[in-house]
Amino acid sequence: MPILYNDSTREFHLQTPKTSYIFSILENDQLGHLYYGKKLRHRQSFDRLFHVGESPNTACVNEGDLVFSLDLIKQEYPAYGTTDFREPAYQILQESGSRVTHFVYRDHQIYQGKKKLKGLPATYAENEDEATTLEISLADEKTGVEIRLLYTVFEELNAIARSAEFINHGQSEVNLARALSASIDLPGSDFEMVQLSGSWARERHVKERKLVPGIQSIASTRGTSSAQQNPFLALKRPNTTEHQGEVYGFSLVYSGNFLAQVEVDHYDVTRLMIGINPFDFNWLLKSKESFQTPEVVMVYSEEGLNGMSQTYHRLYRTRLARGKWRDRERPVLINNWEATYFNFNDKKILELAKASKELGVELFVLDDGWFGKRDDDTTSLGDWSVDRRKLPNGITRLAKDINELGLEFGLWFEPEMVSKASELYKAHPEWVIHVPDRSMSHGRNQFVLDFSRQEVVDFIHGLMADVLRDAPISYVKWDMNRYMTEIGSLDLPANRQREVAHRYILGVYSLYERLTNEFPDVLFESCAGGGSRFDPGLLHYAPQGWTSDDTDAVERLKIQYGTSMVYPTSSMGAHVSAVPNHQVGRVTSLETRANVAYFGAFGYELDVTMMTEEEKEEVKQQIRFYKANRTLIQQGQFYRIESPFAEEGNITSWMVVSEDQAEAILGYYQVLSRPNPGFTRIFFQGLNPEFEYAIEGLEGTFYGDELMNAGLQLNRYRVNGHPADFSSIIYKLEQV
Ligand code: DGJ
């Protein structure tokens, strides 16, 4: 049984084959945390894991007793206001002004499967026996509020999903000033915090720091999960590497403002909490209303960071992403953005499409600039009807022409935005997120539509659905190119203005939900000025996302390496683009650009009509290689081997291995060429030690144990016979 409850000790034991998560109902009927980590044998009582010492100088709950203090107790979903002085998981502001609550255990139920979270993306079980759920109900008598804590154990996938629901059964309204998804207190603070941080064009770089007493956190206040911080945080032991050692991962299935915080207290207890950012958040909960927090997915691994990542990859690829495209091979696409930017017409597009088809491309994506009068980024967002100056025969005709060339057709939208120079803004200036009587900041000359309003979402839905119904469109790129400012909605009263950012995200999810249901054959790719909203929330609807606007092969090593910490290769849009690279000006070989982009949802983003015959031949071969191996790449087990974030960081390597271990592909990348480099070995990962492998291009065969333990000695590798910067090798292994 993945979830056990012991009536006499009042303990819960959640278990997967490799993990135990244990907590109990305390003597005051609150919940206390006992253990999270490597699997423990189940026993009658884990009481001895409950540590509470006499503290000479702290506040205690019961008069006459100097022991029972929440200051000293590890908790499950803590509150502030009595004897715990750390930051809490939630805070409820009551009509009286009081913030003190006392939530005690009321009852619980354990059932097979997993319920949907209303209005929110979440992991799911396809069959009931894949997951077991525990729902614990806590009640606060004075307010009449109930907190329902949800825990779902994915036994085979070694993960636990948590969230909380607040239900107001009382007569009075209350305000949720803070409602995080989960909190956990771990004994000791000998951890390093791993986070994925960056900015536009350098998203999700791996950063690590040692924990110190006090609060350390990452957060977003930008209205999206953001390029600056990803809604993910891991705690690893100092000696944990990619391949061994303990790590705890916490990944929030949410696309808006979030907080992931670690507080190390005076007894070296590490409290981690994650959820909607309480900063600038408040939710008015009227009588009979409920509020559901997003879900956090917790993964414990003692097989290093790779072990944690592989769990996320499997869970997110198969039980977070959904729809027809979830398990399908993703098409090799070409996107016209870096080839033409706004400057195209139907002739140019058809030329590009024709040349791409000859190279083996399967899907043509028409990016920004096809609608309204959009010759630059100052106009037309919101006017989702075709620009006949550029495309005189319309989108439907163009899509059909492209189909006739033998390609699928995909289209770009930026549904959440409006330009001032647009019909939509003229008709509905009140539909923009803003605060009356204050100036409105812009980002890329555009403004954010108020998706907290149902009518706005309905209106945009109507426009998009019309286009998708009329034209044979099999792919949608859903972009979002600015962060939110002056967050306010004309549709909500003063005391609900702090709900806008979250309501906006719920609006985005609801539009995704409708469109993906109505157009189940369409492959959605999420995007936000590159990877500014690359998160598990959107992965639920869009099984792939544009990883970054930075398409430089060297920069992509860091971006894709960091992204793979949580997200599967199948989710990472990765394109070969032109050189000099448009973001950093670097010139890398066509070979290296493809060798990096192979490890994602592969495509091209350059003017293929300008290529030499030799380059075209090379591209044809690249596409043949990718098509022959894409199931392995998109669905295989991914291993990071050498990190671009290592001290020198000159070498990156990674590989994918098929489930049956009969096939693998390794990518090895060197940034700068080194003089007289001596011996270099690559240590493969994840092979079967017993299997004998042939490596394409190398003589003889190799056993898995040799490749993993003794490594493969690299010849000095060269580009066109010479040592070179930005060089790379791909090794394809096959069991003989
Ligand atoms: C930002 C995206 O990341 C790009 O790929 C491209 O679609 C542009 N927006 C278009 O405006």
Side-chain angles (χ1 to χ4, degrees), residues 120-143:
L120 285 167
T123 54
Y124 57 88
E126 216 153 57
N127 306 305
E128 286 223 322
D129 53 5
E130 289 174 357
T132 310
T133 299
L134 163 66
E135 270 188 40
I136 302 186
S137 170
L138 308 172
D140 177 53
E141 202 190 324
K142 292 260 170 1
T143 55

Short mmCIF file of all heavy atoms in Angstrom, two decimals, residues 120-143:
data_model
loop_
_atom_site.label_atom_id
_atom_site.label_comp_id
_atom_site.label_asym_id
_atom_site.label_seq_id
_atom_site.Cartn_x
_atom_site.Cartn_y
_atom_site.Cartn_z
N LEU A 120 -6.95 24.28 -12.66
CA LEU A 120 -5.49 24.31 -12.62
C LEU A 120 -4.89 23.09 -13.31
O LEU A 120 -5.44 21.99 -13.20
CB LEU A 120 -5.00 24.33 -11.18
CG LEU A 120 -5.13 25.64 -10.41
CD1 LEU A 120 -4.92 25.40 -8.93
CD2 LEU A 120 -4.13 26.67 -10.93
N PRO A 121 -3.76 23.28 -13.97
CA PRO A 121 -3.06 22.13 -14.54
C PRO A 121 -2.47 21.28 -13.42
O PRO A 121 -2.10 21.82 -12.37
CB PRO A 121 -1.94 22.79 -15.35
CG PRO A 121 -1.72 24.12 -14.71
CD PRO A 121 -3.05 24.55 -14.16
N ALA A 122 -2.37 20.00 -13.63
CA ALA A 122 -1.81 19.13 -12.59
C ALA A 122 -1.44 17.79 -13.20
O ALA A 122 -1.89 17.45 -14.29
CB ALA A 122 -2.84 18.93 -11.48
N THR A 123 -0.64 17.05 -12.47
CA THR A 123 -0.35 15.67 -12.88
C THR A 123 -1.64 14.86 -12.76
O THR A 123 -2.55 15.25 -12.04
CB THR A 123 0.72 15.05 -11.97
OG1 THR A 123 0.28 15.17 -10.61
CG2 THR A 123 2.05 15.77 -12.13
N TYR A 124 -1.70 13.76 -13.46
CA TYR A 124 -2.91 12.95 -13.43
C TYR A 124 -2.55 11.47 -13.50
O TYR A 124 -1.43 11.10 -13.83
CB TYR A 124 -3.83 13.31 -14.61
CG TYR A 124 -3.15 13.17 -15.95
CD1 TYR A 124 -3.16 11.94 -16.64
CD2 TYR A 124 -2.47 14.23 -16.52
CE1 TYR A 124 -2.52 11.82 -17.86
CE2 TYR A 124 -1.83 14.10 -17.75
CZ TYR A 124 -1.86 12.89 -18.41
OH TYR A 124 -1.21 12.76 -19.61
N ALA A 125 -3.53 10.65 -13.15
CA ALA A 125 -3.35 9.20 -13.28
C ALA A 125 -4.21 8.74 -14.45
O ALA A 125 -5.37 9.17 -14.57
CB ALA A 125 -3.78 8.51 -12.00
N GLU A 126 -3.66 7.91 -15.30
CA GLU A 126 -4.47 7.44 -16.42
C GLU A 126 -5.32 6.24 -15.99
O GLU A 126 -6.45 6.09 -16.42
CB GLU A 126 -3.58 7.10 -17.61
CG GLU A 126 -4.22 7.45 -18.91
CD GLU A 126 -3.18 7.73 -19.98
OE1 GLU A 126 -2.35 6.86 -20.26
OE2 GLU A 126 -3.21 8.84 -20.53
N ASN A 127 -4.72 5.43 -15.15
CA ASN A 127 -5.48 4.34 -14.52
C ASN A 127 -5.47 4.58 -13.03
O ASN A 127 -4.49 5.08 -12.48
CB ASN A 127 -4.82 2.99 -14.79
CG ASN A 127 -4.61 2.79 -16.26
OD1 ASN A 127 -5.56 2.88 -17.03
ND2 ASN A 127 -3.37 2.56 -16.66
N GLU A 128 -6.57 4.18 -12.40
CA GLU A 128 -6.70 4.46 -10.97
C GLU A 128 -5.55 3.90 -10.14
O GLU A 128 -5.14 4.48 -9.15
CB GLU A 128 -8.02 3.89 -10.46
CG GLU A 128 -9.21 4.71 -10.91
CD GLU A 128 -10.19 4.89 -9.78
OE1 GLU A 128 -10.36 3.94 -9.02
OE2 GLU A 128 -10.77 6.00 -9.67
N ASP A 129 -5.02 2.74 -10.58
CA ASP A 129 -4.01 2.12 -9.71
C ASP A 129 -2.62 2.73 -9.87
O ASP A 129 -1.68 2.32 -9.20
CB ASP A 129 -3.98 0.59 -9.92
CG ASP A 129 -3.80 0.24 -11.38
OD1 ASP A 129 -3.63 1.18 -12.19
OD2 ASP A 129 -3.83 -0.96 -11.70
N GLU A 130 -2.48 3.72 -10.72
CA GLU A 130 -1.17 4.38 -10.84
C GLU A 130 -0.89 5.32 -9.69
O GLU A 130 0.25 5.69 -9.44
CB GLU A 130 -1.13 5.27 -12.09
CG GLU A 130 -1.09 4.52 -13.37
CD GLU A 130 -1.20 5.48 -14.54
OE1 GLU A 130 -1.37 6.70 -14.34
OE2 GLU A 130 -1.12 5.00 -15.66
N ALA A 131 -1.95 5.77 -9.05
CA ALA A 131 -1.77 6.80 -8.03
C ALA A 131 -2.71 6.54 -6.86
O ALA A 131 -3.81 6.02 -7.04
CB ALA A 131 -2.06 8.18 -8.62
N THR A 132 -2.26 6.91 -5.68
CA THR A 132 -3.11 6.83 -4.49
C THR A 132 -3.12 8.20 -3.83
O THR A 132 -2.06 8.83 -3.72
CB THR A 132 -2.55 5.79 -3.49
OG1 THR A 132 -2.28 4.59 -4.22
CG2 THR A 132 -3.52 5.49 -2.38
N THR A 133 -4.29 8.62 -3.41
CA THR A 133 -4.41 9.97 -2.86
C THR A 133 -4.87 9.94 -1.42
O THR A 133 -5.73 9.14 -1.05
CB THR A 133 -5.39 10.80 -3.71
OG1 THR A 133 -4.87 10.88 -5.04
CG2 THR A 133 -5.57 12.21 -3.17
N LEU A 134 -4.27 10.83 -0.64
CA LEU A 134 -4.69 11.04 0.74
C LEU A 134 -5.23 12.46 0.84
O LEU A 134 -4.57 13.41 0.40
CB LEU A 134 -3.45 10.89 1.65
CG LEU A 134 -3.54 11.45 3.07
CD1 LEU A 134 -4.57 10.70 3.90
CD2 LEU A 134 -2.17 11.37 3.76
N GLU A 135 -6.42 12.58 1.34
CA GLU A 135 -7.01 13.90 1.57
C GLU A 135 -7.19 14.06 3.06
O GLU A 135 -7.90 13.27 3.69
CB GLU A 135 -8.40 13.99 0.93
CG GLU A 135 -8.39 14.47 -0.49
CD GLU A 135 -9.82 14.72 -0.99
OE1 GLU A 135 -10.66 15.25 -0.23
OE2 GLU A 135 -10.06 14.37 -2.13
N ILE A 136 -6.56 15.07 3.64
CA ILE A 136 -6.72 15.29 5.07
C ILE A 136 -7.48 16.58 5.28
O ILE A 136 -7.13 17.60 4.69
CB ILE A 136 -5.35 15.41 5.77
CG1 ILE A 136 -4.56 14.14 5.52
CG2 ILE A 136 -5.52 15.66 7.26
CD1 ILE A 136 -3.28 14.08 6.28
N SER A 137 -8.45 16.50 6.12
CA SER A 137 -9.25 17.68 6.37
C SER A 137 -8.88 18.26 7.73
O SER A 137 -8.88 17.56 8.74
CB SER A 137 -10.72 17.26 6.31
OG SER A 137 -11.50 18.29 6.77
N LEU A 138 -8.53 19.55 7.72
CA LEU A 138 -8.21 20.26 8.96
C LEU A 138 -9.26 21.34 9.16
O LEU A 138 -9.69 21.97 8.18
CB LEU A 138 -6.84 20.93 8.86
CG LEU A 138 -5.65 20.06 8.43
CD1 LEU A 138 -4.42 20.91 8.21
CD2 LEU A 138 -5.36 18.99 9.49
N ALA A 139 -9.65 21.55 10.38
CA ALA A 139 -10.72 22.54 10.60
C ALA A 139 -10.30 23.57 11.64
O ALA A 139 -9.62 23.25 12.62
CB ALA A 139 -11.98 21.83 11.07
N ASP A 140 -10.72 24.79 11.40
CA ASP A 140 -10.55 25.85 12.39
C ASP A 140 -11.94 26.24 12.87
O ASP A 140 -12.73 26.82 12.13
CB ASP A 140 -9.83 27.06 11.77
CG ASP A 140 -9.70 28.20 12.75
OD1 ASP A 140 -9.19 27.96 13.86
OD2 ASP A 140 -10.11 29.32 12.41
N GLU A 141 -12.22 25.91 14.11
CA GLU A 141 -13.58 26.05 14.62
C GLU A 141 -14.09 27.50 14.57
O GLU A 141 -15.20 27.78 14.14
CB GLU A 141 -13.59 25.56 16.07
CG GLU A 141 -14.96 25.16 16.55
CD GLU A 141 -14.92 24.92 18.06
OE1 GLU A 141 -13.88 24.40 18.55
OE2 GLU A 141 -15.89 25.26 18.72
N LYS A 142 -13.22 28.43 14.94
CA LYS A 142 -13.66 29.83 15.06
C LYS A 142 -14.07 30.44 13.72
O LYS A 142 -15.05 31.18 13.63
CB LYS A 142 -12.54 30.67 15.69
CG LYS A 142 -12.29 30.33 17.15
CD LYS A 142 -12.97 31.35 18.05
CE LYS A 142 -13.02 31.05 19.50
NZ LYS A 142 -12.45 29.88 20.10
N THR A 143 -13.28 30.17 12.66
CA THR A 143 -13.61 30.78 11.37
C THR A 143 -14.54 29.91 10.54
O THR A 143 -15.15 30.38 9.58
CB THR A 143 -12.33 30.99 10.53
OG1 THR A 143 -11.67 29.72 10.41
CG2 THR A 143 -11.40 32.01 11.13
#
